[in-house]
Amino acid sequence: MTGKHPEDNDHRLILDRYQEELLAYLSGVDWMKKGGNTAGIDPDHPFRDLMEAISMIKTNLDRLLEQREADQNRLRFQEEQYLSTLEERVAQRTRDLEIEVSKKNHAEKINRVLFNISNAVNTTQGLDELFPSIHHILNDLVELPNFLIGIYDKDEDRIHFPYFRDQYDSGIKEIPNLSGTGSLTGEVIFGNQPLFLTHEMLIRRYHANGMVGTLPKVWMGVPLVIQDETIGVMATQSYTDPEYFSLKDLDILISVSHQVALAINRKVAEQDLINETRRANLLAQKAETANLAKSEFIANMSHEIRTPLNGVIGMAELLMETKPSGQQVHLIDTISSEADSLLNIINDILDFSKIEAGKLRLENICFDLRETFEDITSVMAIRAEKKGLALLSDLDPRIPCQIQGDPGRLRQVFMNLIGNALKFTHTGRIVVNGRLVEGTGSQSNRFQVRFSVADTGIGIALEKQTAIFDSFSQADGSTTREYGGTGLGTTISKQIVELMDGQIGVESTPGQGSTFWFTAWFDRQPEASTPFSEQKPEGKAHHAMNREKDRIHSRSLSNTRQKHIRILLAEDYPTNQQIALRYLNRSGFLVSLAEDGQDAVDLYKQNHFDLVLMDIQMPAMDGYEAAMAIRQFERTLSDRGRGGKNTPIIAMTAHAMEGYRERCLNAGMDDYLTKPLKKQDLLVMMDKWIKVGSESGARSSFPDPTVQPYPMDMEKALEEFENDQAFLNDVVDAFLRDTKQRIIQMEAVTAKRDPDHVSRLAHTIKGGAANLIAEPLSFAASELEAAALDGHTHRIPGLIKEMRSEFDRLASWWDQV
């Protein structure tokens, strides 16, 4: 301490004071405020420079801070502007997106509506379903409380409304003379432009032109256009709110109007096609029905047509046995000849009708070709001799004679060809021969024969030969006028030959004659192929002996019918029941009666029967169903080991068409018996199917009854009833009572237009009248049945009157008898 000078202490004190001043200055600087404070500092202060430097630093710092603050403010302002702009842009983009989404949704709705309309065309059955579907589909876009679709007919200047849903004017169906009315739909159609009308516009139009229907608050409509042609209009309206629709709604209708027009146009075209198809099908069905009816009518009428002719021919033969005078012989010969010619023509027409209907069928039975050939040529030789012609025949000895085929149709071809040769040959001869076609008969069981008929007649020109086998054709018109004939013989022969898998042709020179030839295929009989040269000649005496054996066998079989043979008779018609029961009971059969198909099946299941007679048309269950049920029952028994052979079932029906026969056989029946029931036909059928000491019974033929001018052939009816007058009286009385009730039923159902019921009633009356030989009534009922089956309802009332007239005539006549 002693080493220090006092001056040093003073300096130290001064320095400390300066330091404190400096620290006070520093601590007094407010860095948060602008500006420095150097005013109170001594100029000689040793730290003045430092304090001024600090003051300068603060001043610079203040400037920097001010600049920074200004920059921050400017940046904040810019940020605020940018954010404001960004928000506006986001809001605008959001609005744009919302509009785009709305437009997209609207477009999707439009597309969905268009798709649904197109789909409705494919899923709806007709316009009646399409229009409500369109209304329902459009409601997805615009709610349409009132809506209409109108179709415009330009030719008639008429608009009709197939769809009109309106709370006030739903009764409007159409507007005729559209161009002359104040209709809003007409304004759309003729202007071919959409129309949107406010309430004020509607009022002005109403006062100026009037208006069809109730005045709405707002109305809009659009045309339906196809290929620049307006086919109709689609419109809607509101009766309650003037602001209900807007132009946007109109745009929606415009956007779908073309698709609606296409849908309606397509559906109309489809409906027209369906209608045309239905019409074509109906016409085809009517044509088929008419064809079937024609075939059935001809088949049903074949008996009636042949009956008087057979009667004429038979009476002529009886007259010849009474030793008439020379003039009478000539007259009788003429009657017989003309009747034979007429019968041949009718047979040709009936066969031709079968050909047209596709019903001509061939049998395949065993027969002797030599015997058939001899029979044909011997019969035709007599006719040739009467005309001064020679008829020669020759059959190849290599041809097997015991063969299988259709002798009846083969005979028909020969008769046609030889008959033509006789007709067109005046001098000379006719040669008939048959030759085995080489290579077909040596080893095979199937062989071909070529037959020919050569004549020395007028011949046929080459250019006319191809037309010979056409329907109703002869060589030329002069041939028809001179020689007569229908021209059907060769046509029918051609069809028969083709069914025999053969061919037919002609070779001819005018003035020198013609040769008609045809080929046919046959089968050998099993173990019966002996050629012609090895057969024993038997001749006509042999045929007569065989026919006598047949008659003896038939009588012996009738005498053995007392062996308690049981028959099930299924028949619902009382008259037919009595007749069949009388025939069968008097012949020694035990008969059980079933009045319908179900009853027949029940009886069959409970009892043993040797044969079933099955009527086709019966109530509850018809004959087809009953036969199938019986066959099913037999199969069930067979599966259980309790059954044997099937019991024969014979169909009974008034129908004579081949189609019915096939249907019966397909149902499991064994044979077919047509009505009216004839005693001999019935008994022959019994003989055929009931085996009693023989393989089968023999058939015999009887002449058909003749038609009398009276409503009933009493003599023939008595014969059919075995001269049992009391039984006949009962049957006729029952028939008259039953028929009267059926006619009353028929007249009642006619008002209901029920042709099926009428046809069934007429069918029953037809069969019952035919059984009593009441031909006029049976024919009238047949006519009525055919008209009902054809659907000719307009003819039914008149035909019922005709049938009632014949019934009244029969009833009145019966009372007098």
Side-chain angles (χ1 to χ4, degrees), residues 94 224 253 329 344 393 409 418 436 514 580 608 665 742 811:
T94 301
L224 301 176
L253 289 186
V329 169
N344 289 333
S393 63
R409 293 301 180 183
I418 299 174
L436 182 69
S514 304
H608 166 75
L665 297 178
R742 291 179 187 271

Side-chain angles (χ1 to χ4, degrees), residues 636-653:
T636 301
L637 292 180
S638 178
D639 293 341
R640 296 174 181 174
R642 297 167 52 194
K645 295 183 179 179
N646 290 345
T647 301
I649 302 178
I650 311 301
M652 299 189 304
T653 178

Side-chain angles (χ1 to χ4, degrees), residues 623-638:
Y624 303 114
E625 296 172 309
M628 289 188 286
I630 288 174
R631 292 302 184 222
Q632 180 60 46
F633 175 69
E634 291 173 338
R635 285 191 292 271
T636 301
L637 292 180
S638 178

Side-chain angles (χ1 to χ4, degrees), residues 587-661:
S587 299
F589 296 108
L590 299 177
V591 186
S592 296
L593 176 64
E595 296 189 350
D596 59 52
Q598 186 60 59
D599 191 16
V601 174
D602 294 340
L603 283 173
Y604 187 85
K605 291 180 178 180
Q606 299 168 9
N607 302 277
H608 166 75
F609 294 99
D610 299 290
L611 184 140
V612 179
L613 291 172
M614 184 72 71
D615 184 32
I616 298 303
Q617 290 187 337
M618 292 184 293
M621 178 186 289
D622 63 26
Y624 303 114
E625 296 172 309
M628 289 188 286
I630 288 174
R631 292 302 184 222
Q632 180 60 46
F633 175 69
E634 291 173 338
R635 285 191 292 271
T636 301
L637 292 180
S638 178
D639 293 341
R640 296 174 181 174
R642 297 167 52 194
K645 295 183 179 179
N646 290 345
T647 301
I649 302 178
I650 311 301
M652 299 189 304
T653 178
H655 295 293
M657 293 181 66
E658 187 170 349
Y660 285 93
R661 178 185 182 91

Side-chain angles (χ1 to χ4, degrees), residues 442-462:
S442 57
Q443 301 294 330
S444 174
N445 288 330
R446 186 168 170 79
F447 60 93
Q448 188 181 38
V449 179
R450 188 181 191 276
F451 299 101
S452 65
V453 177
D455 63 59
T456 56
I458 62 175
I460 306 167
L462 180 62

Side-chain angles (χ1 to χ4, degrees), residues 732-750:
V732 173
D733 290 338
F735 170 77
L736 292 176
R737 289 192 303 271
D738 183 80
T739 301
K740 183 177 181 180
Q741 293 301 317
R742 291 179 187 271
I743 292 176
I744 292 173
Q745 293 178 35
M746 201 177 297
E747 291 170 337
V749 299
T750 301

Side-chain angles (χ1 to χ4, degrees), residues 32-53:
M32 301 304 294
K33 295 181 180 180
K34 293 180 180 181
N37 185 14
T38 58
I41 301 176
D42 187 357
D44 295 326
H45 197 289
F47 293 112
R48 181 179 178 84
D49 292 336
L50 177 61
M51 287 185 279
E52 287 180 350

Side-chain angles (χ1 to χ4, degrees), residues 481-510:
R481 289 189 297 271
E482 181 177 353
Y483 295 97
T486 62
L488 288 176
T490 50
T491 302
I492 294 170
S493 298
K494 181 176 183 293
Q495 296 293 331
I496 293 173
V497 167
E498 289 176 352
L499 287 174
M500 293 178 175
D501 297 328
Q503 295 178 323
I504 191 169
V506 60
E507 301 166 0
S508 180
T509 302

